[in-house]
Amino acid sequence: QEPVSSIRGVGPKKAGALKKLDILKIEDFLFLYPRNYEDRSNRKKIAQLSDGEQAYVTAQVVLIVKGGFRYGKKRTLKLLAQDETGSLEVVFFAQAGYLEKAFQQGRTYGFFGRVSLQKGRMQMMHPEFQEEQSAGEGSCGEAAVQREEGILPVYPLSAGLTQRDLRRYSRLALS
């Protein structure tokens, strides 16, 4: 009968967003069923990517272009990421200001999303990402993922929640 606010990281705003999903108590997570699953085990090198596929790529950010094109009131953030086989353009439209702080040139990240071929370049638009931790290898080597890998649940969302939030809260609630 404990409220969701007793989960570490759930404050009033997140509790309000969870309430929209009818999650008021910790035990309500038992009845939160995924609407789908993502296969993050499909790890590929950039040169192996195909137009339209969903894949996980580990690459080093070599260039960050802040600002740039504006779509409506939204600024864009563009990254050029490389592995030993090629380069990938990563584009974010929403939350560009926040995301500018999330990336550092020279660091290695894992990107998961749908790949498209745009003007002869491989591109991912607004992928999920996480910083990779290398296991004593070079920054573009096969790195050990810090958090989310394998087959992951995809939950219904409400404003103010991310998939990463719901996965973490579910894991904490059920442990």
Side-chain angles (χ1 to χ4, degrees):
Q1 296 289 355
E2 288 186 59
V4 290
S5 58
S6 65
I7 297 174
R8 194 173 130 239
V10 178
K13 285 184 181 179
K14 294 290 184 181
L18 287 167
K19 184 178 181 177
K20 291 177 185 173
L21 296 173
D22 293 324
I23 301 172
L24 304 170
K25 300 174 284 196
I26 289 179
E27 62 216 33
D28 292 335
F29 279 101
L30 290 171
F31 304 103
L32 177 65
Y33 299 111
R35 63 178 166 79
N36 203 351
Y37 291 90
E38 288 178 343
D39 185 359
R40 301 256 177 121
S41 64
N42 182 19
R43 292 173 170 258
K44 295 214 169 173
K45 298 289 183 191
I46 292 172
Q48 299 172 319
L49 297 173
S50 300
D51 188 27
E53 82 172 311
Q54 209 170 25
Y56 189 96
V57 175
T58 301
Q60 182 181 41
V61 172
V62 295
L63 182 65
I64 300 172
V65 180
K66 301 172 183 178
F69 299 101
R70 290 181 182 263
Y71 293 89
K73 294 183 179 181
K74 297 178 182 175
R75 282 188 315 155
T76 60
L77 174 67
K78 288 188 176 185
L79 310 174
L80 182 63
Q82 293 181 335
D83 67 11
E84 62 273 11
T85 68
S87 62
L88 173 72
E89 187 177 69
V90 180
V91 182
F92 295 94
F93 294 105
Q95 302 173 331
Y98 159 76
L99 291 170
E100 285 174 10
K101 298 172 190 159
F103 293 103
Q104 289 186 349
Q105 200 166 316
R107 294 246 174 124
T108 301
Y109 298 86
F111 299 99
F112 179 79
R114 186 154 315 278
V115 178
S116 62
L117 188 59
Q118 299 291 326
K119 299 178 185 174
R121 294 186 203 166
M122 284 296 179
Q123 188 178 73
M124 273 190 188
M125 304 284 272
H126 219 302
E128 288 191 41
F129 67 92
Q130 59 192 13
E131 188 171 358
E132 299 278 336
Q133 296 267 5
S134 62
E137 295 185 354
S139 59
C140 280
E142 286 300 312
V145 175
Q146 277 183 332
R147 290 162 287 228
E148 299 188 326
E149 65 180 346
I151 303 202
L152 298 176
V154 178
Y155 294 106
L157 294 176
S158 68
L161 290 172
T162 65
Q163 289 297 330
R164 186 170 287 164
D165 288 336
L166 280 177
R167 290 177 192 134
R168 188 172 148 278
Y169 300 155
S170 293
R171 197 170 37 251
L172 290 171
L174 300 174
S175 64

